[in-house]
Amino acid sequence: MGLASAARANDLMPYKIVDDGIPASLTGSSGDAMRGRALVLARTTTCILCHSGPFPETRFQGDLAPDLTGAGNRWSVSQLRLRLVDASRFNPETIMPSYYRNEGLVRVGRNFVGKPILSAAEIEDIVAYLATLRD
């Protein structure tokens, strides 16, 4: 499923925040770590514009945000999911996009007005991949 997927709709899958995470999968199943890795490295998701990580094939990686190396040790799957869905819950001043919100946003590109940046399946794929990143 690509970023231009027709599956991306204005309606978001419901989710429940518990403590500092979203414990249940947005899709009802685990994501695919290989697809998640491809999404993290895709310039269209912007992950590596700010984050660095164990991506030796990628020359230019960001240094504005935490290194993703060891992300699976630092955060639980539940915490990773909430960080992708809405990073502003942890830091209202963050520059990280809320990848799975469609309301209350500012500076939204016209192609994304009223739509999430990533689909529920793409969030789950990225979560699956980040969870594998262990020191």
Side-chain angles (χ1 to χ4, degrees), residues 13-26:
M13 298 301 295
Y15 58 86
K16 183 176 181 177
I17 298 171
V18 177
D19 297 323
D20 62 349
I22 301 173
S25 166
L26 299 176

Side-chain angles (χ1 to χ4, degrees), residues 6 10 12 17 26 35 47 51 70 83 88 97 121 134:
N10 294 2
L12 303 176
I17 298 171
L26 299 176
R35 283 194 308 255
C47 299
H51 294 277
R83 278 174 164 70
S88 69
R134 304 209 169 256

